Amino acid sequence: NKFKSAVAKSAPRFVGYSQQDSQEFLRFFMEGLHEDLNKGKKGKRKIEEPPKGLTDSQLADHRWNGYTSYDNSTIVDIFVGLLKSTLTCSVCDHKSVTFDPFWDLSLPLPRSKGAGLNLMACFAEFTQEEILDGDEKPTCENCKKRQKCTKQFSIERFPPILVLHLKRFSEVRYRTKLSTKVDFPIENLDLGDLSSNSHSHTPKYDLVGVSNHSGNTFSGHYIAYCKVGSRWHRFSDSSVSNLSRSDIVSSEAYVLFYERQRPR
């Protein structure tokens, strides 16, 4: 279509009719819009070291303010959140905290003995503690030497639109697709357990869109489900039809779009 052809002029990899990744296409498109709308500082980026003695909340604000001084657009305002990474030394229990902006979250699909999974199980897999040992040992700031550590993610800043990418495609040996059904809420997605700040209000989210992939790794087709007003619609190329709520959740869901609820 004309939209894809226009994007392909700036990104030759999207030329033609070969199968493409909708998440990669989305990221390229959003980053392109951001670059054109960016009101941030130009030139080489300078990362300012934070002052000593800051609390985690103050450190998060310092990181966010530094990021938005260079990346300042409506796209960032809408889609970008802040991820907290906590590194804990197994020897001295010292905690090292870093914050990184995210445009979307790529959630792994854990192995399931049953017929399917739910979205919170994917989040649990994403945020579970990772042990860093052997060649992966980081240097502890307190011990001043490489030590066995644990690493864990949490969410510090929740964006107005939360984009979730279900990692259905595996690159192990050869590219394969996981067709596991992931059950996700259409309304009231509550991520309070993932918030890094237990004292702040954690927003709830409602689903507003789904990018679905049917087929396999070699050939397939993308279909979008979108909420327009209070009704859901199915978009398949030039075809648009009404969609029942009962048909929204399927094993073909690939990218989920959630909108943050407004305070009541």
Side-chain angles (χ1 to χ4, degrees):
N1 58 38
K2 293 181 180 180
F3 174 67
K4 180 178 176 295
S5 298
V7 174
K9 290 180 180 180
S10 300
R13 65 181 181 273
F14 295 122
V15 171
Y17 295 96
S18 60
Q19 181 166 239
Q20 304 292 343
D21 190 298
S22 66
Q23 187 231 5
E24 293 179 4
F25 182 88
L26 174 68
R27 281 295 301 271
F28 175 84
F29 180 65
M30 289 200 306
E31 289 175 359
L33 287 178
H34 162 66
E35 290 174 5
D36 287 343
L37 298 172
N38 192 7
K39 299 174 291 186
K41 293 189 292 188
K42 309 298 182 184
K44 187 177 180 180
R45 295 171 182 248
K46 297 179 181 179
I47 301 177
E48 296 183 7
E49 289 295 323
K52 300 293 184 180
L54 294 183
T55 64
D56 285 0
S57 179
Q58 291 171 332
L59 191 62
D61 288 340
H62 180 273
R63 177 71 173 99
W64 181 255
N65 292 335
Y67 175 75
T68 54
S69 67
Y70 288 96
D71 292 279
N72 180 9
S73 73
T74 302
I75 303 300
V76 169
D77 294 341
I78 295 173
F79 291 99
V80 179
L82 198 63
L83 200 63
K84 179 181 181 180
S85 175
T86 303
L87 205 63
T88 305
C89 177
S90 63
V91 177
C92 70
D93 205 37
H94 174 75
K95 296 183 184 299
S96 175
V97 174
T98 55
F99 295 92
D100 292 295
F102 67 86
W103 291 66
D104 56 27
L105 295 178
S106 292
L107 304 181
L109 273 60
R111 292 183 179 181
S112 174
K113 296 179 181 179
L117 300 166
N118 62 46
L119 189 60
M120 295 314 296
C122 299
F123 270 114
E125 184 86 355
F126 177 75
T127 57
Q128 73 173 349
E129 279 192 349
E130 177 186 1
I131 298 175
L132 302 179
D133 200 2
D135 293 339
E136 294 183 326
K137 283 183 182 178
T139 300
C140 172
E141 293 177 339
N142 188 54
C143 297
K144 307 299 183 184
K145 59 186 294 188
R146 295 182 67 196
Q147 301 283 25
K148 178 181 177 181
C149 294
T150 60
K151 180 181 179 181
Q152 189 170 33
F153 290 122
S154 58
I155 300 177
E156 177 70 23
R157 180 185 289 264
F158 292 84
I161 299 293
L162 178 64
V163 181
L164 303 177
H165 163 231
L166 302 179
K167 296 175 70 174
R168 293 198 177 277
F169 295 99
S170 171
E171 297 291 352
V172 179
R173 282 193 171 183
Y174 52 88
R175 191 168 169 85
T176 59
K177 180 186 176 183
L178 300 175
S179 297
T180 308
K181 181 179 180 180
V182 178
D183 190 26
F184 48 88
I186 297 175
E187 296 170 338
N188 296 317
L189 172 63
D190 188 346
L191 300 180
D193 291 343
L194 281 70
S195 175
S196 60
N197 190 343
S198 59
H199 302 293
S200 65
H201 171 71
T202 303
K204 291 184 179 181
Y205 285 88
D206 295 330
L207 188 73
V208 292
V210 183
S211 173
N212 300 277
H213 179 270
S214 61
N216 53 40
T217 57
F218 304 104
S219 64
H221 180 63
Y222 283 106
I223 296 173
Y225 297 163
C226 302
K227 187 179 182 183
V228 182
S230 60
R231 301 176 64 180
W232 281 88
H233 300 271
R234 179 182 184 272
F235 296 82
S236 177
D237 291 335
S238 59
S239 173
V240 181
S241 58
N242 292 327
L243 180 71
S244 170
R245 282 173 60 98
S246 60
D247 294 329
I248 295 173
V249 179
S250 76
S251 60
E252 296 180 347
Y254 183 49
V255 182
L256 310 177
F257 298 82
Y258 279 95
E259 181 179 31
R260 189 171 64 193
Q261 293 180 355
R262 295 180 180 179
R264 296 174 180 175

